[in-house]
Amino acid sequence: MRKEKKLYVGSLFAGVGGIEWGLINASYNGRKYEIVWANEIDEYAAETYRLNFKDHPLIIGDIEKIVKPEREEDPEERKKYIKKREQILEKPIDVLVGGFPCQAFSIAGYRKGFDDKRGNVFWSIIDVINLLDERHKRKPQILFLENVKNLQGHDNGRTYKIIKSSLEELGYKVKEKVINTKDVTKLPQNRERIYIVAFLDSLAAENFTMFDNLDKYKITFSDEERIENIKRVLDLDLSKDKYEKYYYTKEKYPHYFLTEEEFQAAKEKYNKKYRVNIGEEITQEFEFYQVRRGMYVRKNQQGVCPTLTANMGTGGHNVPLIKVHDGIRKLTPAETFKLQGFPVGNGYQLPKQSDGRLYKQAGNAVSVDVIQLIGEEILKALDAAEKIQAQEEKHEIKKTAIC
């Protein structure tokens, strides 16, 4: 186990840098993380990343092609990916992180798992570990991965069993836990994700006890505190005059403001089964609502925002709505980033991209505050393991001296 105070990090599937932001904010007893490189395939997410992490080398491209450039038939493409692979392998790293693509495992997807190409990128994680070991004669000592909750139960648990056993075959001690963002942070979002932390050092693994004692990390909020948490992520000074495109009005969405008389007429003409009138149903401030499949309005019963998704704002049914002082509107892209823990306007910037692209990036991101929490617990485990190791070495020296 390296005893240096700085842990060097390589990041796969970096997106807009949620894991990076969380780890950079994490520290314990002088220990910190430093990002060595990051990889992302989506050019728009990469633009957002570069805007906020100017000092981090960002390697844009398909990681499957980067780790296996010899498969490229085009000589120029092969050269391009060989160069990218060299960037990843240039320096040894201590921590390999990644919120690897979740579509293949999501309950909202087709549940194809490893039969879906998007699920196969997990093997690129294994390839990166092996390539780093081959180049530098040591693997990353820690893995920190994130995915959707359904990963653990996919295909009756067989998918995750393969993932875990594959990491264990490389010598890692693997721990995992499904954590809900709202339970352990002040971020008011219902977001369940599985977090996987794996250590090469067994002593460090033994001292990483967070996943075994998660109840100790759970936070409860009074209604007043819940409202304060929501105020931190909502831009309540926005007005319909300047931000009209986010507001729902009868002029723009007549089918969402049906009177009983209008509904009866539409019922006969369009065989409409449900009446929706969000002006009547969205009545409380500091609550989050959804129009589900265009058929009914649902208020989140836990008083927090429902899980942000990549299809948010692009015609999908998961569009969080809120009541504000001058009407009803959907969340802005900045608010969705704030709900993930990005300090937009206070150190974190959004590029000039379409709302749809920004919504997608926010929905695909990780909750920064959860990453920071777990990142600090990893540092604590390393610190504790180092102290135990030092005590054992001291005891052994004394024992040898006596002999």
Side-chain angles (χ1 to χ4, degrees):
M1 180 175 63
R2 285 180 75 251
K3 297 182 179 181
E4 283 79 358
K5 292 295 185 179
K6 188 176 289 184
L7 294 178
Y8 296 105
V9 180
S11 176
L12 295 171
F13 321 107
V16 295
I19 291 181
E20 286 84 339
W21 199 274
L23 292 184
I24 289 170
N25 290 331
S27 65
Y28 180 75
N29 198 20
R31 274 190 162 85
K32 293 184 177 182
Y33 298 93
E34 181 174 311
I35 312 303
V36 177
W37 54 261
N39 165 248
E40 172 56 39
I41 190 173
D42 184 275
E43 292 183 2
Y44 296 105
E47 180 186 3
T48 305
Y49 187 102
R50 278 182 166 157
L51 185 61
N52 293 283
F53 301 96
K54 297 179 176 64
D55 297 331
H56 298 175
L58 180 63
I59 304 159
I60 302 175
D62 186 338
I63 189 60
E64 292 181 283
K65 295 181 178 180
I66 291 172
V67 295
K68 296 186 184 300
E70 62 276 2
R71 293 183 178 178
E72 288 297 304
E73 295 181 2
D74 186 316
E76 292 303 315
E77 285 293 297
R78 195 180 311 124
K79 286 180 184 179
K80 181 177 75 174
Y81 283 107
I82 288 174
K83 184 178 179 180
K84 292 177 186 291
R85 183 172 67 178
E86 287 304 306
Q87 287 180 276
I88 282 179
L89 300 179
E90 182 181 355
K91 299 176 182 177
I93 59 173
D94 302 302
V95 187
L96 181 65
V97 303
F100 57 108
C102 62
Q103 294 97 325
F105 306 115
S106 174
I107 56 175
Y110 294 102
R111 306 189 185 203
K112 294 180 181 179
F114 282 118
D115 292 330
D116 186 325
K117 186 177 185 293
R118 293 169 298 179
N120 289 337
V121 293
F122 168 75
W123 301 118
S124 294
I125 298 173
I126 300 296
D127 290 333
V128 169
I129 294 169
N130 286 327
L131 286 168
L132 285 165
D133 189 27
E134 182 181 330
R135 175 67 61 88
H136 301 289
K137 307 307 176 189
R138 68 180 180 91
K139 306 181 186 78
Q141 63 173 303
I142 300 165
L143 308 179
F144 184 4
L145 308 174
E146 180 260 9
N147 209 290
V148 292
K149 173 186 177 181
N150 195 52
L151 173 65
Q152 202 167 19
H154 177 267
D155 195 18
N156 294 317
R158 285 187 285 269
T159 297
Y160 186 67
K161 185 177 180 181
I162 292 171
I163 288 173
K164 187 170 184 176
S165 62
S166 298
L167 297 177
E168 288 173 338
E169 287 173 8
L170 292 176
Y172 289 97
K173 288 76 182 173
V174 183
K175 298 193 173 189
E176 68 285 313
K177 192 69 175 180
V178 172
I179 299 176
N180 195 323
T181 295
K182 73 177 181 62
D183 290 340
V184 297
T185 77
K186 291 182 178 181
L187 298 175
Q189 182 192 174
N190 181 55
R191 190 178 191 83
E192 289 184 292
R193 289 294 184 268
I194 184 171
Y195 296 91
I196 304 165
V197 177
F199 298 86
L200 282 179
D201 183 78
S202 58
L203 193 55
E206 289 173 14
N207 280 277
F208 181 77
T209 59
M210 177 185 179
F211 290 176
D212 302 315
N213 302 285
L214 193 62
D215 285 345
K216 294 181 180 180
Y217 299 84
K218 290 187 176 180
I219 311 171
T220 56
F221 300 103
S222 66
D223 193 54
E224 291 77 13
E225 290 170 329
R226 180 188 67 82
I227 290 174
E228 287 303 312
N229 292 339
I230 293 173
K231 284 181 178 180
R232 274 191 285 270
V233 298
L234 295 184
D235 296 316
L236 296 175
D237 293 333
L238 302 186
S239 66
K240 188 186 295 184
D241 292 339
K242 293 184 178 181
Y243 295 88
E244 191 272 337
K245 66 176 180 176
Y246 299 112
Y247 281 76
Y248 277 51
T249 63
K250 186 162 186 173
E251 290 72 31
K252 287 198 298 183
Y253 303 101
H255 56 295
Y256 283 161
F257 290 86
L258 291 177
T259 64
E260 183 61 36
E261 184 179 355
E262 290 168 334
F263 171 66
Q264 292 300 330
K267 187 177 181 181
E268 295 178 8
K269 188 174 182 179
Y270 301 109
N271 192 29
K272 198 171 181 66
K273 295 182 180 179
Y274 305 94
R275 182 172 82 93
V276 175
N277 189 312
I278 63 176
E280 296 175 6
E281 298 173 82
I282 299 180
T283 58
Q284 294 178 279
E285 294 183 349
F286 305 113
E287 298 287 352
F288 294 89
Y289 297 80
Q290 292 170 282
V291 178
R292 299 291 289 180
R293 300 178 180 87
M295 296 189 298
Y296 61 94
V297 176
R298 185 172 73 180
K299 171 186 168 183
N300 188 279
Q301 296 303 310
Q302 296 173 314
V304 296
C305 184
T307 305
L308 300 177
T309 65
N311 70 354
M312 178 178 47
T314 59
H317 60 266
N318 187 19
V319 183
L321 300 175
I322 54 174
K323 177 179 173 58
V324 290
H325 66 94
D326 58 352
I328 294 166
R329 65 170 174 83
K330 63 183 176 181
L331 298 176
T332 67
E335 288 171 328
T336 60
F337 271 77
K338 289 180 181 179
L339 277 161
Q340 291 284 44
F342 294 94
V344 178
N346 191 27
Y348 193 90
Q349 304 175 68
L350 297 185
K352 293 181 180 179
Q353 295 181 10
S354 70
D355 286 350
R357 287 181 178 132
L358 293 174
Y359 282 131
K360 178 182 178 182
Q361 291 167 28
N364 280 333
V366 298
S367 293
V368 172
D369 295 31
V370 180
I371 298 299
Q372 180 177 344
L373 176 62
I374 298 174
E376 288 176 349
E377 291 304 312
I378 291 171
L379 295 179
K380 290 178 184 178
L382 293 177
D383 191 72
E386 182 183 313
K387 289 177 180 177
I388 293 171
Q389 198 173 57
Q391 289 174 352
E392 290 177 347
E393 290 172 357
K394 187 176 180 180
H395 179 73
E396 191 62 34
I397 290 172
K398 285 184 177 180
K399 183 178 177 182
T400 303
I402 293 172
C403 294

